[in-house]
Amino acid sequence: MPDIFIYNASPCRVIFGSGTLAKVAEEIAALGCSRALVLSTPFQKPDAEMLAERLGNLAVGTFTEAAMHTPVGVTEKAMAAYTAADADCVVAVGGGSTIGLGKAIAWRNDAPQIVVATTYAGSEVTDILGQTENGKKSTVRDARIRPETVIYDPDLTLGLPVAMSVTSGLNAMAHAVEGLYAPDANPVTSLMAVEGLRALKSALPRIVEDPDNADARSSALYGSWLCGIVLGSVAMSLHHKLCHTLGGAFDTPHAETHAILLPHTAAYNAPAASQQLSGAIELFGGDLGGGLHDFARSIGAPLSLRDLGLTPKDLAVAAEMAVQNPYRNPREVTRDGILNLLTRAHAGHRPIAT
Ligand code: NAD
């Protein structure tokens, strides 16, 4: 435990459990609102429309064009829909893409947000908004961005395909692993990180075996909530920066990139942060990167950057980019070290602790 630490509790009301989707109406009223715009991706349009219908007069419309990386053009269309409908709050039903749209609206007009989270990405409990314009992704942090109310109804995750459950779950676990060695880690976020890892480690194999396992779905959503709080509370390092670099430069898919890189970034940093990572090491073994790789393999996660379409030349470009803007990391981030890490991840090899 650090001798001195700072812990900022993030205000957010969380309603958890099977059937809690039914609580959206009372949560809109609890925020003093009565005219919700319901948001989703095109894929989850039926969910948004069903919820709007259930809300009756409390819903003034749906906007179902949310897209990955929150393109500003989509946000502008959604803002126009919000104004045209004279909405006074947003209800986002979905994963990070839909939640990002709700946050982007709230950042512009301070709309109260209710989120019904349906993946394990964790965006619903952070004050972080990443948005893209003219091919460039930028990130903003602001108190207005953090949703006021989050509903975790595991019933809505029963339809999350197994492959997405696996990659999204590993995305959540990456928040926890990096949170443990964060420069501003504190005993409370570290407790949440280890408990989040424990819950996901137990839940994901059971979801792979039986996607309808209600207890496993509940446990995974619980773990993802805790990992999301960690993401929103402390600074992220090598792993998140590398994923951001690959996503920004080569448009690699978000959750898959996290899933593939996690064992490698953990292996890179573990020798310099074994004390901080002790809770994760207890769960995955002393060779943390290798243990995470074995776990990812056992649940059928993608293992190779090659499968995302990256070439060896791309790796060299990414390694160069990764050392351009220094940030705090347990271990020095060198071009050769990163190229080595990316080369093993490209081949899908088990990481080697060095
Ligand atoms: P996503 O929201 O893009 O969802 C992927 C697809 O799965 C979409 O078509 C979605 O509609 C569908 N889907 C979601 N839940 C489903 C369910 N239960 N059943 C069936 N289909 C479902 O994926 P994601 O990984 O949750 O989010 C990725 C985005 O979130 C990225 O843009 C990333 O940058 C952002 N993100 C932001 C933060 C933050 O704190 N700002 C944190 C994590 C992720």
Side-chain angles (χ1 to χ4, degrees), residues 44-331:
Q44 287 178 292
K45 184 175 177 178
D47 299 328
E49 287 178 342
M50 196 178 65
L51 178 60
E53 203 179 305
R54 277 174 72 166
L55 290 173
N57 291 339
L58 286 174
V60 290
T62 59
F63 182 87
T64 58
E65 295 172 41
M68 188 79 95
H69 305 312
T70 328
V72 168
V74 174
T75 302
E76 283 166 357
K77 273 181 85 177
M79 291 294 295
Y82 187 94
T83 307
D86 195 21
D88 63 5
C89 64
V90 291
V91 178
V93 186
S97 296
T98 305
I99 297 164
L101 176 62
K103 289 173 155 183
I105 294 172
W107 184 53
R108 286 163 173 80
N109 67 7
D110 210 9
Q113 305 170 66
I114 295 173
V115 171
V116 181
T118 66
T119 72
Y120 308 135
S123 176
E124 64 281 356
V125 284
T126 79
D127 61 358
I128 308 162
L129 165 65
Q131 41 184 6
T132 42
E133 191 169 24
N134 303 325
K136 272 200 152 176
K137 186 162 179 172
S138 58
T139 303
V140 272
R141 282 192 100 128
D142 189 290
R144 275 173 301 175
I145 290 169
R146 185 185 304 108
E148 280 73 6
T149 307
V150 178
I151 293 181
Y152 288 110
D153 184 342
D155 298 356
L156 297 182
T157 62
L158 292 170
L160 187 66
V162 165
M164 256 161 78
S165 303
V166 163
T167 52
S168 194
L170 287 164
N171 180 190
M173 291 168 81
H175 308 329
V177 170
E178 287 236 294
L180 286 172
Y181 56 60
D184 50 352
N186 61 72
V188 179
T189 52
S190 295
L191 272 176
M192 291 194 225
V194 175
E195 174 65 358
L197 287 171
R198 188 203 57 74
L200 283 155
K201 179 179 181 250
S202 141
L204 294 179
R206 290 185 286 140
I207 290 171
V208 171
E209 203 172 284
D210 174 13
D212 292 329
N213 182 327
D215 181 65
R217 287 292 186 183
S218 194
S219 186
L221 204 53
Y222 163 67
S224 76
W225 166 40
L226 298 178
C227 294
I229 298 176
V230 174
L231 169 70
S233 305
V234 297
M236 297 289 118
S237 307
L238 174 68
H239 174 84
H240 283 73
K241 308 285 181 197
L242 257 189
C243 290
H244 193 92
T245 300
L246 293 182
F250 306 105
D251 204 23
T252 57
H254 176 83
E256 286 88 336
T257 309
H258 276 270
I260 293 168
L261 284 186
L262 175 61
H264 299 276
T265 52
Y268 187 89
N269 276 334
S274 54
Q275 179 82 24
Q276 298 94 309
L277 286 166
S278 59
I281 286 169
E282 266 175 44
L283 289 167
F284 294 98
D287 169 10
L288 180 60
L292 284 166
H293 174 91
D294 297 343
F295 174 71
R297 180 186 282 279
S298 75
I299 55 173
L303 299 173
S304 154
L305 288 177
R306 194 196 293 122
D307 295 343
L308 302 187
L310 290 186
T311 66
K313 211 170 130 202
D314 296 336
L315 306 185
V317 173
E320 198 60 58
M321 288 172 76
V323 292
Q324 269 162 20
N325 297 311
Y327 50 86
R328 285 180 70 183
N329 188 64
R331 186 170 165 194

Side-chain angles (χ1 to χ4, degrees), residues 268 319 323 331-339:
Y268 187 89
V323 292
R331 186 170 165 194
E332 191 189 356
V333 179
T334 63
R335 189 192 165 282
D336 286 354
I338 299 308
L339 187 56

